[in-house]
Amino acid sequence: MGLESSADHPQPLRVIVNATRAWVERLNPVWVEGQLIEIKRRSGVTQFLTLRDSLAEVSVTLSTSAAVLDAAGPLTEGTVVAAWVRP
């Protein structure tokens, strides 16, 4: 079912954001390749990465410890990586 909207009857932003989130969350995980441009290692189980290619840049939340992340290999800024991600 599509959302009805017009200049006279616009949808609230929260409705569009929630509908978009619900659609994205139904997508299956995919392999992506990108250059690692930022790593934020934390002491807890959530790590943050930023990946980019020539046209896009995206932040990634990774649920693992910094030790597991470091054991995966020499991950440094500038490294091109392949990642299994859920949009």
Side-chain angles (χ1 to χ4, degrees), residues 13-86:
L13 180 60
R14 69 183 173 280
V15 171
I16 302 305
V17 169
N18 288 335
T20 303
R21 180 183 302 126
W23 181 80
V24 169
E25 288 175 347
R26 287 193 307 265
L27 297 174
N28 292 324
V30 295
W31 281 99
V32 299
E33 180 179 79
Q35 181 183 22
L36 186 57
I37 62 169
E38 184 177 27
I39 306 170
K40 293 183 182 176
R41 290 175 171 84
R42 302 288 189 242
S43 60
V45 295
T46 303
Q47 312 303 315
F48 300 96
L49 311 174
T50 303
L51 299 174
R52 76 169 170 208
D53 66 13
S54 60
L55 297 175
E57 184 174 305
V58 67
S59 295
V60 178
T61 302
L62 185 62
S63 297
T64 191
S65 70
V68 170
L69 184 63
D70 291 338
L75 292 177
T76 58
E77 294 172 355
T79 302
V80 174
V81 298
W84 180 246
V85 300
R86 191 179 121 213

